[in-house]
Short mmCIF file of all heavy atoms in Angstrom, two decimals:
data_model
loop_
_atom_site.label_atom_id
_atom_site.label_comp_id
_atom_site.label_asym_id
_atom_site.label_seq_id
_atom_site.Cartn_x
_atom_site.Cartn_y
_atom_site.Cartn_z
N GLU A 115 24.46 -22.42 20.86
CA GLU A 115 25.21 -23.62 21.18
C GLU A 115 25.02 -24.05 22.64
O GLU A 115 24.84 -25.24 22.93
CB GLU A 115 26.70 -23.35 20.91
CG GLU A 115 27.64 -24.47 21.32
CD GLU A 115 29.10 -24.03 21.26
OE1 GLU A 115 29.42 -23.14 20.45
OE2 GLU A 115 29.89 -24.58 22.05
N LYS A 116 25.04 -23.09 23.58
CA LYS A 116 25.02 -23.43 25.01
C LYS A 116 23.60 -23.66 25.54
O LYS A 116 23.43 -24.36 26.54
CB LYS A 116 25.67 -22.30 25.82
CG LYS A 116 27.08 -21.91 25.39
CD LYS A 116 28.07 -23.03 25.54
CE LYS A 116 29.49 -22.57 25.24
NZ LYS A 116 30.46 -23.69 25.25
N ALA A 117 22.58 -23.08 24.88
CA ALA A 117 21.20 -23.17 25.41
C ALA A 117 20.71 -24.61 25.48
O ALA A 117 19.88 -24.96 26.34
CB ALA A 117 20.26 -22.33 24.56
N VAL A 118 21.18 -25.47 24.59
CA VAL A 118 20.66 -26.85 24.52
C VAL A 118 21.42 -27.80 25.46
O VAL A 118 21.06 -28.97 25.57
CB VAL A 118 20.74 -27.38 23.07
CG1 VAL A 118 19.82 -26.58 22.16
CG2 VAL A 118 22.17 -27.35 22.54
N LEU A 119 22.45 -27.32 26.14
CA LEU A 119 23.23 -28.17 27.03
C LEU A 119 22.46 -28.44 28.32
O LEU A 119 21.61 -27.64 28.73
CB LEU A 119 24.58 -27.50 27.36
CG LEU A 119 25.52 -27.27 26.17
CD1 LEU A 119 26.75 -26.50 26.62
CD2 LEU A 119 25.91 -28.59 25.52
N PRO A 120 22.74 -29.55 28.99
CA PRO A 120 22.06 -29.84 30.27
C PRO A 120 22.42 -28.80 31.33
O PRO A 120 23.55 -28.29 31.36
CB PRO A 120 22.61 -31.22 30.65
CG PRO A 120 23.17 -31.79 29.40
CD PRO A 120 23.63 -30.64 28.57
N THR A 121 21.47 -28.51 32.19
CA THR A 121 21.71 -27.59 33.31
C THR A 121 22.87 -28.14 34.15
O THR A 121 22.95 -29.33 34.43
CB THR A 121 20.45 -27.45 34.18
OG1 THR A 121 19.39 -26.98 33.36
CG2 THR A 121 20.69 -26.49 35.33
N GLY A 122 23.78 -27.24 34.54
CA GLY A 122 24.94 -27.64 35.33
C GLY A 122 26.19 -27.86 34.50
O GLY A 122 27.29 -28.04 35.06
N THR A 123 26.06 -27.85 33.16
CA THR A 123 27.23 -28.01 32.30
C THR A 123 28.18 -26.82 32.48
O THR A 123 27.75 -25.67 32.55
CB THR A 123 26.80 -28.09 30.82
OG1 THR A 123 25.91 -29.18 30.65
CG2 THR A 123 28.01 -28.27 29.91
N VAL A 124 29.48 -27.10 32.55
CA VAL A 124 30.48 -26.03 32.63
C VAL A 124 30.58 -25.35 31.27
O VAL A 124 30.81 -26.00 30.24
CB VAL A 124 31.86 -26.59 33.04
CG1 VAL A 124 32.90 -25.46 33.02
CG2 VAL A 124 31.79 -27.23 34.42
N LEU A 125 30.38 -24.02 31.26
CA LEU A 125 30.36 -23.27 30.01
C LEU A 125 31.73 -22.67 29.69
O LEU A 125 32.19 -22.72 28.56
CB LEU A 125 29.32 -22.16 30.09
CG LEU A 125 27.87 -22.60 30.37
CD1 LEU A 125 26.97 -21.39 30.52
CD2 LEU A 125 27.37 -23.50 29.24
N TRP A 126 32.33 -22.04 30.67
CA TRP A 126 33.62 -21.37 30.50
C TRP A 126 34.16 -21.01 31.88
O TRP A 126 33.50 -21.29 32.89
CB TRP A 126 33.50 -20.11 29.63
CG TRP A 126 32.41 -19.18 30.10
CD1 TRP A 126 32.43 -18.37 31.19
CD2 TRP A 126 31.13 -18.98 29.48
NE1 TRP A 126 31.25 -17.68 31.31
CE2 TRP A 126 30.44 -18.03 30.26
CE3 TRP A 126 30.50 -19.49 28.33
CZ2 TRP A 126 29.14 -17.59 29.96
CZ3 TRP A 126 29.23 -19.05 28.03
CH2 TRP A 126 28.56 -18.12 28.82
N GLN A 127 35.31 -20.41 31.92
CA GLN A 127 35.88 -19.93 33.17
C GLN A 127 35.79 -18.41 33.20
O GLN A 127 35.97 -17.75 32.17
CB GLN A 127 37.34 -20.37 33.32
CG GLN A 127 37.51 -21.86 33.57
CD GLN A 127 38.95 -22.23 33.85
OE1 GLN A 127 39.88 -21.55 33.42
NE2 GLN A 127 39.14 -23.31 34.62
N ASP A 128 35.50 -17.85 34.38
CA ASP A 128 35.45 -16.39 34.49
C ASP A 128 36.86 -15.82 34.62
O ASP A 128 37.85 -16.57 34.58
CB ASP A 128 34.55 -15.96 35.65
CG ASP A 128 35.08 -16.41 37.01
OD1 ASP A 128 36.28 -16.75 37.09
OD2 ASP A 128 34.30 -16.43 37.99
N GLY A 129 36.95 -14.51 34.80
CA GLY A 129 38.24 -13.85 34.86
C GLY A 129 39.12 -14.32 35.99
O GLY A 129 40.36 -14.22 35.92
N ALA A 130 38.49 -14.85 37.05
CA ALA A 130 39.25 -15.34 38.22
C ALA A 130 39.59 -16.81 38.09
O ALA A 130 40.16 -17.41 39.02
CB ALA A 130 38.46 -15.08 39.50
N GLY A 131 39.22 -17.43 36.96
CA GLY A 131 39.53 -18.83 36.76
C GLY A 131 38.50 -19.78 37.33
O GLY A 131 38.71 -21.00 37.34
N ASN A 132 37.35 -19.25 37.78
CA ASN A 132 36.30 -20.10 38.33
C ASN A 132 35.41 -20.65 37.21
O ASN A 132 35.16 -19.98 36.20
CB ASN A 132 35.44 -19.30 39.31
CG ASN A 132 36.25 -18.75 40.46
OD1 ASN A 132 37.05 -19.46 41.07
ND2 ASN A 132 36.06 -17.46 40.76
N GLU A 133 34.93 -21.86 37.41
CA GLU A 133 34.04 -22.47 36.43
C GLU A 133 32.66 -21.79 36.45
O GLU A 133 32.11 -21.53 37.52
CB GLU A 133 33.86 -23.96 36.72
CG GLU A 133 35.10 -24.79 36.46
CD GLU A 133 34.84 -26.27 36.69
OE1 GLU A 133 33.82 -26.61 37.35
OE2 GLU A 133 35.65 -27.09 36.22
N VAL A 134 32.16 -21.49 35.27
CA VAL A 134 30.82 -20.91 35.14
C VAL A 134 29.92 -22.00 34.56
O VAL A 134 30.19 -22.52 33.47
CB VAL A 134 30.82 -19.68 34.23
CG1 VAL A 134 29.40 -19.15 34.05
CG2 VAL A 134 31.73 -18.60 34.78
N LYS A 135 28.87 -22.36 35.30
CA LYS A 135 27.98 -23.44 34.88
C LYS A 135 26.63 -22.90 34.41
O LYS A 135 26.17 -21.85 34.87
CB LYS A 135 27.77 -24.41 36.04
CG LYS A 135 29.05 -25.11 36.50
CD LYS A 135 28.78 -26.07 37.65
CE LYS A 135 30.07 -26.75 38.10
NZ LYS A 135 29.84 -27.70 39.22
N LEU A 136 26.00 -23.63 33.51
CA LEU A 136 24.68 -23.25 32.99
C LEU A 136 23.63 -23.47 34.07
O LEU A 136 23.46 -24.58 34.57
CB LEU A 136 24.35 -24.10 31.76
CG LEU A 136 22.98 -23.83 31.11
CD1 LEU A 136 22.90 -22.41 30.57
CD2 LEU A 136 22.70 -24.85 30.00
N ARG A 137 22.92 -22.41 34.42
CA ARG A 137 21.85 -22.51 35.43
C ARG A 137 20.50 -22.71 34.75
O ARG A 137 19.68 -23.51 35.19
CB ARG A 137 21.82 -21.25 36.29
CG ARG A 137 23.15 -20.96 36.99
CD ARG A 137 23.09 -19.64 37.74
NE ARG A 137 24.43 -19.11 38.00
CZ ARG A 137 24.66 -17.91 38.48
NH1 ARG A 137 23.66 -17.09 38.75
NH2 ARG A 137 25.91 -17.50 38.68
N SER A 138 20.26 -21.93 33.72
CA SER A 138 19.01 -22.02 32.94
C SER A 138 19.22 -21.21 31.67
O SER A 138 20.18 -20.43 31.56
CB SER A 138 17.82 -21.46 33.73
OG SER A 138 17.99 -20.07 33.94
#
Side-chain angles (χ1 to χ4, degrees):
E115 175 190 332
K116 306 297 186 186
V118 295
L119 297 175
T121 302
T123 301
V124 176
L125 302 176
W126 52 73
Q127 289 186 334
D128 64 18
N132 301 313
E133 290 183 343
V134 177
K135 297 180 180 180
L136 179 64
R137 303 175 200 171
S138 66

